[in-house]
Amino acid sequence: MSTSSSSSSNQGGDAPSSSRSRMRSSNGVWPEPFLEALALHVAVDASRTIGRLAAAQALFNIFQVCSTWRAISRSDLLWQNLARSIWNVRDLLLLRESWREEYVYRHRTAAAFRSRRYEHAALHFDPTDNNNDDDDGLSCRRLALSNHHLAAGFSDGAVHLFHIPTLLHLFTFYPQHRDRLGRFSSPVSGIILSDARLVFATLDGDIHMAAVNGPSPLRRAHLGDVVTDGALVDFAGCDRWWVGLYAGSTKGVPGRAFHIWNGETEELVSVGGSLTDPEAVMGWHMLTELTGIIGRIRVVSGDMAVACTRDRVVVLPLISQGVLEEREEEFPREIVVGAFDAYNDLAMVPDAQGEATVRRVQGGMEEVCRFTMREGVSFGCMNGGYGVTWGGGVIRVWDIEHGQYLYSFRERIGECNALIADERFVAACCDDAIIHLWDFGAQ
């Protein structure tokens, strides 16, 4: 009778006590590398299917299984792999003692970005201290961020460097003078910035570089050739690669839209591409008159670059044998080039009808999500989880994992002419040459 009763009580699916004991004891013999790999897989899957912030809850659930599983939370290798896979962090910052601390910081900063918790500051410098001889006023053309510095490139070719923790203006770098081919041949067309090195290019094709940590002399790393290559309309890169987007060769030589340099040796390794061939005339006019933005180029993960004009987006590998292979995507609506941006493996492509799509660069430009903006957006940028747009004097933030509008900044800055974001900061510059900085990581 008792045996029958015991048997019937287990028909609901509960394992006998001996089975449960074996299951619990089996956890203790699972190898730690296996558990770490499982935790990494679960967290990364949650970040890709739900969002990066969801990875923390997935990890919490893993650590609650038992004491053995919870013990892997003390593995710094696990947190290093998590930080690299989810937050794309390559190096541990000196101010953090462990990869777990780095991961927690990144999660909190992204959560602050989502809920509009930031500190706002304004960075000032003397706008009369410049080389601008034109009557069109001084305007910011490019912004760049690193962990501790911000660089702003202006229409006179000067780059102003600021120290973010103190908000102090450190140095002003002026490019080497030479005969100008047009009154607008010297504006900064792109900046690559780290906490060790500043590299910037001007519209005439010159590329300069300097050390960040001291007033070392600025040197010219590359002498531009506008006649052969056209105007250098955009310039971007990282420690490994520099990429320039050109338009307007006066010799009419097609297929020279992209120039790729080895960022370590400064050697030009590839020239090719036809993205801006239809904009050749407009590119030349940029040297002599104020025109709209012709194209944008960004370096993304996986040694890839993505670039756009008003009607096309091109993806190209940076590792090649001297021949560039463009993968082209045409868009039915005109692209707002100034609001185009790419970060990690995602690209944000806004159009003139007020709709933006987010696409995965290495996934054949497959669509991740889309969202509807107000018309009139002229500038945009993004980080790994959020898109930032400016239009009508208002800066708005979007969740680019799900295509959701989140909020607008409390501050109004007037007419914006440059906008940038990374995982912690958003920076913008307006016509009064004041640089606004929003800090989501001041915790």
Side-chain angles (χ1 to χ4, degrees):
M1 190 73 166
S2 60
T3 302
S4 175
S5 174
S6 174
S7 175
S8 63
S9 67
N10 287 323
Q11 289 178 0
D14 292 336
S17 58
S18 60
S19 298
R20 290 197 298 269
S21 299
R22 287 195 299 271
M23 290 171 62
R24 285 195 297 268
S25 64
S26 67
N27 291 333
V29 299
W30 282 12
E32 185 175 294
F34 173 83
L35 295 179
E36 290 184 14
L38 175 63
L40 178 64
H41 173 78
V42 170
V44 170
D45 184 65
S47 71
R48 291 177 177 174
T49 56
I50 304 174
R52 297 183 302 171
L53 294 177
Q57 183 62 51
L59 289 169
F60 177 81
N61 294 338
I62 286 286
F63 298 153
Q64 293 305 303
V65 171
C66 66
S67 60
T68 302
W69 289 41
R70 187 159 51 251
I72 64 172
S73 66
R74 295 190 291 270
S75 169
D76 207 44
L77 178 60
L78 171 63
W79 291 107
Q80 180 181 4
N81 290 331
L82 288 166
R84 289 180 172 178
S85 299
I86 296 173
W87 303 109
N88 200 38
V89 180
R90 301 294 103 186
D91 300 304
L92 184 66
L93 294 184
L94 295 177
L95 55 87
R96 285 183 273 283
E97 297 180 353
S98 68
W99 280 101
R100 181 186 182 279
E101 188 177 337
E102 180 72 41
Y103 184 94
V104 171
Y105 168 80
R106 296 283 175 165
H107 177 90
R108 289 176 176 173
T109 302
F113 221 115
R114 183 173 185 83
S115 56
R116 201 174 68 165
R117 298 195 307 271
Y118 61 74
E119 293 183 1
H120 171 261
L123 284 67
H124 299 272
F125 68 99
D126 184 1
T128 63
D129 180 22
N130 65 77
N131 289 343
N132 189 33
D133 298 325
D134 298 319
D135 298 327
D136 300 283
L138 185 68
S139 64
C140 182
R141 296 301 183 93
R142 297 292 188 275
L143 292 168
L145 287 163
S146 66
N147 290 323
H148 300 103
H149 296 89
L150 181 148
F154 284 80
S155 55
D156 64 342
V159 174
H160 297 267
L161 184 68
F162 298 84
H163 184 239
I164 292 177
T166 61
L167 304 180
L168 294 178
H169 178 247
L170 298 179
F171 309 111
T172 301
F173 298 97
Y174 294 108
Q176 298 178 25
H177 294 286
R178 63 186 181 119
D179 293 337
R180 299 172 63 184
L181 296 177
R183 62 195 301 246
F184 297 111
S185 61
S186 62
V188 174
S189 56
I191 304 173
I192 304 169
L193 180 66
S194 70
D195 285 324
R197 186 174 69 167
L198 167 73
V199 182
F200 70 94
T202 48
L203 196 62
D204 57 12
D206 286 359
I207 300 174
H208 290 81
M209 63 182 302
V212 167
N213 296 321
S216 61
L218 184 72
R219 69 176 181 86
R220 185 158 49 202
H222 174 73
L223 181 66
D225 183 355
V226 175
V227 174
T228 301
D229 299 321
L232 178 50
V233 298
D234 202 21
F235 177 76
C238 57
D239 288 339
R240 185 174 184 183
W241 303 106
W242 303 347
V243 185
L245 178 62
Y246 291 78
S249 168
T250 59
K251 290 184 176 180
V253 180
R256 299 181 62 86
F258 301 110
H259 288 48
I260 301 173
W261 290 265
N262 182 313
E264 298 174 351
T265 65
E266 303 172 23
E267 176 189 5
L268 180 66
V269 294
S270 296
V271 176
S274 59
L275 176 64
T276 54
D277 285 356
E279 284 79 21
V281 174
M282 186 183 298
W284 180 250
H285 285 172
M286 290 184 71
L287 301 169
T288 58
E289 61 189 61
L290 293 173
T291 63
I293 302 173
I294 290 179
R296 281 282 188 262
I297 189 163
R298 296 291 184 264
V299 172
V300 296
S301 58
D303 292 314
M304 306 285 287
V306 57
C308 82
T309 58
R310 291 177 298 177
D311 56 359
R312 291 190 295 165
V313 172
V314 163
V315 177
L316 67 153
L318 299 178
I319 298 178
S320 66
Q321 302 299 321
V323 178
L324 296 184
E325 298 180 0
E326 300 173 279
R327 189 175 75 238
E328 182 177 314
E329 299 283 341
E330 293 189 2
F331 286 77
R333 296 175 177 175
E334 180 179 330
I335 297 170
V336 181
V337 179
F340 170 89
D341 199 14
Y343 195 94
N344 292 342
D345 186 36
L346 297 179
M348 181 174 69
V349 188
D351 64 42
Q353 300 302 314
E355 187 170 72
T357 59
V358 178
R359 297 172 180 267
R360 195 169 302 280
V361 176
Q362 295 186 61
M365 292 299 284
E366 66 176 350
E367 183 175 311
V368 176
C369 69
R370 63 176 55 214
F371 53 89
T372 301
M373 312 174 296
R374 294 184 180 180
E375 294 185 30
V377 168
S378 55
F379 286 96
C381 57
M382 63 185 292
N383 61 22
Y386 306 97
V388 182
T389 63
W390 178 89
V394 180
I395 294 178
R396 296 179 174 87
V397 177
W398 310 81
D399 176 352
I400 60 170
E401 293 174 322
H402 305 96
Q404 175 187 7
Y405 169 73
L406 297 179
Y407 56 83
S408 62
F409 283 5
R410 292 181 287 268
E411 296 76 18
R412 300 295 184 266
I413 66 170
E415 192 70 22
C416 177
N417 45 45
L419 182 68
I420 194 172
D422 64 11
E423 298 287 17
R424 174 172 177 174
F425 300 104
V426 174
C429 191
C430 47
D431 281 347
D432 57 9
I434 294 177
I435 300 171
H436 296 264
L437 183 69
W438 293 267
D439 183 357
F440 292 84
Q443 304 168 18

